[in-house]
Amino acid sequence: MEDCIFCKIANKEINSEILFECDEFFLIKDIKPVAKLHYLAIPKQHYARFEDAKDGLESLRKIFETIPTLKQKLGLDDGYRIIINQGKNARQAVQHVHVHILGGQDLGEKIVAETQN
Ligand code: 5GP
Ligand code: ZN
């Protein structure tokens, strides 16, 4: 999709080091890491929300299936956390579904959300 940063990376219009790639998705480092290791697994198909995936969620299935096989290469043997932001309350910034994979350190509290009074 035009003007989508992740589509541009997928189409190689923007240069980014791709650590893994298959028919369904590719994996890069997040440009602004929030943990020692912070990767993004990004479906090649453009869709902003799960419900928008016209051809189904095969790409997400493939991502979840593949991550364990990349654990050693990515330095995630001691565990990792997966986050997917969807929509406004999650402050999804890039409107192209992507899976955050955090690791390389103790990630602290299991559930992170700022409380509001
Ligand atoms: P969201 O808030 O949408 O879940 O996360 C978007 C993520 O994409 C952010 O963590 C941000 O740092 C990352 N990001 C945005 N633009 C780029 C880029 O051009 N390259 C890479 N590698 N990461 C990006
Ligand atoms: Zn896109």
Side-chain angles (χ1 to χ4, degrees):
M1 194 190 160
E2 229 177 292
D3 288 335
C4 169
I5 188 91
F6 290 166
C7 282
K8 284 184 176 160
I9 294 173
N11 298 332
K12 316 268 162 43
E13 287 170 53
I14 291 179
N15 205 35
S16 186
E17 190 193 349
I18 291 175
L19 303 172
F20 175 85
E21 183 172 12
C22 66
D23 286 351
E24 293 289 339
F25 77 96
F26 60 99
L27 189 120
I28 59 176
K29 284 185 182 159
D30 196 292
I31 206 168
K32 250 179 94 180
V34 299
K36 277 199 183 134
L37 297 173
H38 185 173
Y39 303 103
L40 298 173
I42 305 175
K44 289 187 172 175
Q45 189 201 350
H46 177 97
Y47 56 100
R49 312 263 192 275
F50 300 155
E51 61 269 32
D52 301 330
K54 287 190 273 331
D55 300 328
L57 295 171
E58 176 63 16
S59 55
L60 287 181
R61 193 192 69 75
K62 193 67 190 268
I63 287 169
F64 290 123
E65 185 183 82
T66 307
I67 288 168
T69 72
L70 298 174
K71 261 189 339 190
Q72 201 178 6
K73 173 181 154 85
L74 299 177
L76 300 172
D77 276 335
D78 288 338
Y80 52 90
R81 179 173 296 157
I82 281 178
I83 296 168
I84 305 177
N85 292 316
Q86 290 275 275
K88 178 167 154 281
N89 276 1
R91 300 202 194 178
Q92 182 181 1
V94 178
Q95 305 306 310
H96 177 138
V97 164
H98 51 282
V99 178
H100 294 263
I101 305 158
L102 308 176
Q105 62 173 84
D106 181 340
L107 294 163
E109 292 291 331
K110 283 192 185 300
I111 297 169
V112 181
E114 288 170 28
T115 46
Q116 288 180 333
N117 296 307

